[in-house]
Amino acid sequence: DHIWAAPFTIFLAVMGVVQALFLLYKFIMVRKSVGMNKKITYFTLLSFLLFYCSSLFSSVAPPSHAAVLFFPVVAIYSLYAYSELLTKVWVQRTAIIVFISAIIMYSAIGWKNYQTISIYQDRGRVERALDQKEYKIVGERRYD
């Protein structure tokens, strides 16, 4: 729908793969790390093993909101992994370009969602449902 955002989206997809490969590389090269980097790497590994083992014997797949709990662990690990890389000017400029590209891409997604699935497009119906305290005016939450 928004072809002007496609180059930014492709660029972000490529940078996401590069980021994942770099973090994997830093994880594999943990033997060359010293001090806190090694401890953070092992802590991240043990956190993922804990998450995996906690859902291993469950009959349902782990919910996505459970994986979000491990975001701070991964964020701290990535900050340690990027610490020496972010001292280079070209990496700082690339990070700025990635950030601007993300703003453009998410603006396009937001504009598309506003036009198609946003609740504010049909605000009158939502207000009527709230006034009458009848949720079925807007739609059913769970289908039987």
Side-chain angles (χ1 to χ4, degrees), residues 2 35 56 61 96 119 126 129 140:
H2 302 288
L56 188 62
I96 291 170
I119 198 168
V126 173
E140 293 196 21

Side-chain angles (χ1 to χ4, degrees), residues 10-138:
I10 293 169
F11 172 71
L12 287 173
V14 169
M15 291 307 292
V17 170
V18 168
Q19 175 187 11
L21 291 175
F22 178 75
L23 290 175
L24 182 64
Y25 167 76
K26 290 298 275 189
F27 188 78
I28 292 170
M29 301 307 279
V30 71
R31 288 174 278 131
K32 295 182 180 179
S33 298
V34 290
M36 190 60 87
N37 285 349
K38 193 176 277 192
K39 292 176 185 175
I40 292 293
T41 303
Y42 289 132
F43 177 69
T44 305
L45 174 65
L46 290 174
S47 296
F48 276 113
L49 288 175
L50 174 68
F51 179 68
Y52 177 76
C53 290
S54 67
S55 60
L56 188 62
F57 300 107
S58 177
S59 60
V60 295
S64 60
H65 70 274
V68 170
L69 295 174
F70 291 102
F71 173 75
V73 175
V74 176
I76 291 171
Y77 168 69
S78 68
L79 289 174
Y80 274 98
Y82 294 138
S83 62
E84 62 191 46
L85 194 62
L86 284 174
T87 59
K88 297 181 169 99
V89 175
W90 69 271
V91 175
Q92 294 171 358
R93 290 185 181 150
T94 304
I96 291 170
I97 293 169
V98 165
F99 185 73
I100 292 170
S101 297
I103 289 173
I104 293 169
M105 183 191 76
Y106 282 113
S107 296
I109 291 171
W111 181 252
K112 180 181 186 293
N113 288 345
Y114 178 75
Q115 292 173 336
T116 56
I117 63 173
S118 175
I119 198 168
Y120 293 105
Q121 289 294 91
D122 200 6
R123 189 169 176 86
R125 192 167 62 146
V126 173
E127 288 175 346
R128 193 176 50 210
L130 290 171
D131 290 339
Q132 296 176 9
K133 294 185 170 84
E134 182 60 45
Y135 68 91
K136 291 184 179 181
I137 294 173
V138 178

